[in-house]
Amino acid sequence: MKHAFLTTAVAALMALGNFAEAQELKMSHVRPQDATIDVELRAFAAAVSEATGGDVKVEIFPASALGDYTTVQERISVGAIDMATQPAATAADRRMQISSFPYLAGNWDQARAVYGPGGVVREVMADLYSEQDITMLAAYPVYFGGISLNVENPNAGSVEQNGIKVRVPGIKSFQLTGEALGYIPSPIPFSEAFTAVQTGVVDGVIGSGAEGYYASFRDVTKTYIPANTHFEVWYMIISNESLAGLSDEDQAALKEQAVAFEATRWEVAQADQGRNEQRLVDDLGATVVDLSEAELAAMAAKVRADVWPAVLEDVGADWGQSILDQVAAATN
């Protein structure tokens, strides 16, 4: 009887020991090691470890080491990868294009109202991720997008045809935006984009911003046009399966640290954008074009007129228009 009791006690202690082992969560992101997002995610991982008493360890995998962000989102959906902080992959659901809708926000205050806590696009994206068995933990504001060129554009503020060929992501909204702004868009995978510019297949890139161009296109950026083409926001996401594998206390701690991570980012993102634009000048000798308010307004008007109707058809006209109406109400 005594032997049976000891056996049961040892088994219980072993079970507790196994439960107490740190849960390791793999987190993917798309930027190189030591880029801003990499540094910030490592700070987030340290905060999670401290908040959970070492119960949860978040291991960071930079530079798409776990796969292209589209593949990573698919793998998070099925529980094969735990977490990521990255752009939304529209291949999984075309409605996710609403997140990168061109000229949806015109300034940082509007961006926060749309994409920040309680913002209409942020809430819509959380629902779309949920349909893929993914929980959104935070939004990560990156920058307003612009145009990087390996050549000069003497009419950078014009929307007239300029004959300059640019790489765009394989997303309809970016392709149509390139056309509306006067460029010749060429959909090229991100992994091939640098070589395409370097070898002259294209003359530049649309789809990123100063930070992205500095990180990945610094040797082929001679001109940067801060056209505010779109507001780049990434999302910290976790597989529902991975989240359910944590204790209630650790889930709460993880979510609390994600909220703090996002709040901190909103405070520094605008200054970070300005700093990266200046780095293009100071470190690369690039020219950053100074666009007037009138030029930016003309670009926005052209894109909204030419691009929005086509993208709305792609995401579902009624569904998309209802969101645009809510955005307009939040930003006016």
Side-chain angles (χ1 to χ4, degrees):
M1 188 72 177
K2 185 177 180 182
H3 177 73
F5 173 79
L6 287 173
T7 301
T8 302
V10 169
L13 286 170
M14 288 179 66
L16 284 171
N18 289 336
F19 184 79
E21 286 180 5
Q23 295 279 344
E24 294 189 358
L25 301 174
K26 293 181 171 61
M27 165 89 80
S28 175
H29 72 80
V30 298
R31 289 290 189 254
Q33 187 171 344
D34 297 328
T36 300
I37 180 64
D38 188 66
V39 172
E40 292 175 349
L41 284 178
R42 291 182 192 281
F44 166 76
V48 169
S49 179
E50 181 177 354
T52 61
D55 287 351
V56 180
K57 303 288 187 183
V58 180
E59 187 176 2
I60 308 300
F61 289 82
S64 300
L66 299 181
D68 172 83
Y69 72 92
T70 298
T71 302
V72 167
Q73 184 171 310
E74 292 171 352
R75 297 189 71 195
I76 289 175
S77 179
V78 298
I81 293 177
D82 301 303
M83 301 180 70
T85 302
Q86 61 180 31
T90 61
D93 187 334
R94 287 184 300 177
R95 292 175 297 171
M96 284 189 155
Q97 290 182 77
I98 199 71
S99 180
S100 56
F101 229 70
Y103 293 98
L104 199 58
N107 55 53
W108 281 91
D109 287 340
Q110 290 183 0
R112 190 162 190 164
V114 173
Y115 298 97
V120 56
V121 171
R122 183 230 185 77
E123 297 302 315
V124 166
M125 292 300 292
D127 290 341
L128 294 177
Y129 278 120
S130 179
E131 291 178 15
Q132 299 172 41
D133 291 324
I134 295 171
T135 295
M136 181 207 293
L137 296 174
Y140 181 86
V142 191
Y143 46 62
F144 277 95
I147 303 165
S148 165
L149 300 177
N150 202 24
V151 297
E152 290 185 5
N153 180 357
N155 298 307
S158 171
V159 294
E160 299 300 319
Q161 293 298 312
N162 55 42
I164 298 174
K165 194 171 185 179
V166 293
R167 175 267 173 182
V168 296
I171 300 172
K172 191 171 186 176
S173 61
F174 284 108
Q175 296 172 34
L176 295 175
T177 296
E179 288 180 4
L181 295 179
Y183 296 86
I184 303 170
S186 179
I188 296 174
F190 180 80
S191 59
E192 302 169 21
F194 177 86
T195 301
V197 182
Q198 190 178 45
T199 57
V201 173
V202 293
D203 302 308
V205 184
I206 289 178
S208 191
E211 180 270 340
Y213 296 132
Y214 186 89
S216 303
F217 295 90
R218 69 182 67 183
D219 295 329
V220 292
T221 296
K222 294 181 179 177
T223 303
Y224 179 65
I225 306 168
N228 291 355
T229 50
H230 71 291
F231 187 73
E232 181 81 4
V233 58
W234 299 340
Y235 299 99
M236 180 184 286
I237 54 177
I238 184 169
S239 163
N240 284 354
E241 182 179 324
S242 299
L243 186 61
L246 306 179
S247 69
D248 291 346
E249 293 81 2
D250 288 343
Q251 286 188 38
L254 178 70
K255 291 177 179 178
E256 183 179 348
Q257 293 307 313
V259 169
F261 168 81
E262 177 179 348
T264 298
R265 179 61 192 173
W266 276 111
E267 293 302 316
V268 302
Q270 183 174 3
D272 192 46
Q273 174 179 304
R275 192 161 46 247
N276 279 299
E277 289 176 357
Q278 192 60 43
R279 290 174 81 188
L280 293 175
V281 176
D282 295 342
D283 297 356
L284 311 183
T287 298
V288 175
V289 177
D290 185 17
L291 297 175
S292 69
E293 290 297 321
E295 287 171 329
L296 285 169
M299 289 178 172
K302 180 80 160 32
V303 169
R304 287 169 181 158
D306 291 3
V307 179
W308 280 17
V311 181
L312 280 173
E313 289 298 324
D314 205 37
V315 302
D318 292 341
W319 179 85
Q321 188 60 54
S322 70
I323 295 168
L324 294 183
D325 291 344
Q326 294 176 65
V327 168
T331 55
N332 288 336

